[in-house]
Amino acid sequence: MKLTTMTQVTVDGVMQGNGGASDEDRRNGFERGGWARGAGDDETRTFITQTYQRAEAFLFGRRTYELFTSWGSNQGHPIGVALNEASKYVASTTLTAPRWADTTVLRGDLAAAISELKAKPGGELQVHGSGILTRWLLENDLVDEMTLIVIPVILGQGARLFPETGPDLALDLAESRVDSKGVAIQVYRPAGRPRYATA
């Protein structure tokens, strides 16, 4: 399977609390949740839905998995159907009793477990949200494709997808579009380490 990530971010790189009211994720005093709700036009919403529908399986970090379990009772929405019909994997050292059907908790050597999943035939192993996991996957060269959905807003607070310091990575742009509401969709493929100018 191809491992792909999809993350909604602000122009200043925040990914925290994108979908819900400010009570969804208030870590570190965050008060500006729900910034992605209603963003994007019909074409962008269709793109997001179709992305979920082509998943063979989903991989989550624990926090995102717990937020997404609300889809377990939502069989009427195409995203809910896609999530409920596919296998789900959670990278967690603390989750012991997953509440969502067809969920496997990955423990131990996470890189080996994910490499084993990637070696299986099939479509995509998708990661949605899950910032800590996404960063770890990129650092361990496990991501095949990364989609950023950039919402035209600056929050000025909140957890960012990429920290102030961290490893570097070059990206090849595979696809780019901007919808009628200014939401940008950028699809990248990791391309090794960047080249820097020399004196």
Side-chain angles (χ1 to χ4, degrees):
M1 288 188 281
K2 177 169 80 168
L3 193 149
T4 63
T5 70
M6 177 181 277
T7 312
Q8 292 180 329
V9 295
T10 64
V11 170
D12 56 339
V14 174
M15 64 173 297
Q16 184 174 0
N18 63 315
S22 58
D23 61 346
E24 175 186 277
D25 182 356
R26 297 189 61 112
R27 286 173 296 151
N28 301 314
F30 182 69
E31 301 174 334
R32 300 175 183 170
W35 47 267
R37 182 159 292 177
D41 60 16
D42 289 342
E43 188 175 312
T44 293
R45 284 189 286 279
T46 297
F47 172 86
I48 292 169
T49 298
Q50 289 174 344
T51 299
Y52 277 88
Q53 289 174 321
R54 71 173 185 250
E56 186 84 18
F58 294 95
L59 173 63
F60 298 102
R62 177 171 180 165
R63 183 181 299 274
T64 303
Y65 174 79
E66 290 175 344
L67 290 171
F68 269 59
T69 58
S70 62
W71 286 103
S73 58
N74 191 338
Q75 294 289 337
H77 192 283
I79 291 176
V81 171
L83 285 162
N84 283 297
E85 289 181 351
S87 297
K88 291 161 284 292
Y89 298 91
V90 186
S92 176
T93 57
T94 57
L95 183 64
T96 56
R99 300 178 294 164
W100 204 353
D102 203 10
T103 295
T104 302
V105 179
L106 302 178
R107 292 187 179 84
D109 187 341
L110 187 58
I114 293 172
S115 294
E116 188 176 312
L117 288 173
K118 288 183 62 174
K120 291 183 177 182
E124 292 182 33
L125 174 61
Q126 291 183 2
V127 180
H128 293 267
S130 305
I132 294 170
L133 176 62
T134 295
R135 287 191 295 275
W136 184 87
L137 291 166
L138 285 165
E139 289 168 15
N140 287 275
D141 298 319
L142 291 166
V143 175
D144 297 302
E145 196 169 86
M146 176 175 62
T147 300
L148 298 179
I149 300 175
V150 184
I151 311 300
V153 63
I154 295 171
L155 288 193
Q157 70 165 206
R160 285 162 172 76
L161 176 57
F162 297 108
E164 189 172 327
T165 59
D168 54 355
L169 178 65
L171 301 169
D172 286 336
L173 183 64
E175 181 182 343
S176 180
R177 65 174 105 165
V178 180
D179 77 9
S180 63
K181 292 187 174 183
V183 173
I185 299 172
Q186 300 162 338
V187 181
Y188 295 103
R189 294 189 183 113
R193 297 294 174 248
R195 293 185 181 156
Y196 298 101
T198 56

